[in-house]
Amino acid sequence: MSPALNRPEIVAELTAMSDRYEKALGDNDIAELDALFYHGPETVRYGVGETLYGFDEIAVFRRNRAGGSPPRDVLRRHITAIGTDTGTVDLEFRRHGAERIGRQSQTWIRTPDGWKIIAAHVSLMADIS
């Protein structure tokens, strides 16, 4: 039996978590960003210029990143709830003053401490102009 997809209450929870992440990213709120990631060696984050395995590597990267993430606008967001304890959030964004489109994918899991990101991938589309 396949898990139920996109139960409205789970999509609403993931939407709220995605909004919370975007606010923390925009504010460069490192403590909040840390709180949103799963604290374990299983967590992975592939960035535009970095490959990070485990929560500890992600936390060190955030602390060493001068000024945080460049400001951006979310252009499109797609959320898929898989059952009641897993979901994905995929979005397209554009950094302020840039032409290239960025993409972000996150896998969220429900833990005893709430929803956490266990895998994330950020990339920029190739410049085809």
Side-chain angles (χ1 to χ4, degrees):
M1 181 172 170
S2 297
L5 296 178
N6 295 328
R7 291 175 51 171
E9 68 276 16
I10 307 304
V11 171
E13 290 176 22
L14 289 165
T15 299
M17 295 309 297
S18 176
D19 290 345
R20 189 172 152 189
Y21 176 86
E22 285 300 313
K23 179 172 181 359
L25 188 67
D27 293 344
N28 195 32
D29 184 341
I30 293 171
E32 178 72 349
L33 289 167
D34 283 352
L36 294 172
F37 275 77
Y38 182 75
H39 288 219
E42 302 84 359
T43 307
V44 176
R45 182 184 178 277
Y46 297 150
V48 173
E50 65 283 345
T51 301
L52 307 168
Y53 289 94
F55 174 81
D56 292 341
E57 287 185 17
I58 296 166
V60 167
F61 166 77
R62 290 219 185 275
R63 280 157 184 71
N64 291 333
R65 187 176 191 181
S69 181
R72 68 189 196 177
D73 294 313
V74 174
L75 306 174
R76 185 174 181 181
R77 178 170 61 180
H78 184 81
I79 296 174
T80 303
I82 306 162
T84 59
D85 298 325
T86 308
T88 60
V89 176
D90 299 285
L91 56 84
E92 295 178 37
F93 64 88
R94 181 177 289 124
R95 291 175 172 169
H96 293 180
E99 294 299 318
R100 293 171 73 187
I101 300 295
R103 298 173 290 188
Q104 174 182 287
S105 296
Q106 297 172 329
T107 302
W108 290 78
I109 58 170
R110 187 189 305 273
T111 74
D113 297 322
W115 286 101
K116 303 292 180 185
I117 299 165
I118 196 160
H121 187 166
V122 181
S123 62
L124 297 175
M125 301 273 295
D127 185 2
I128 57 172
S129 56

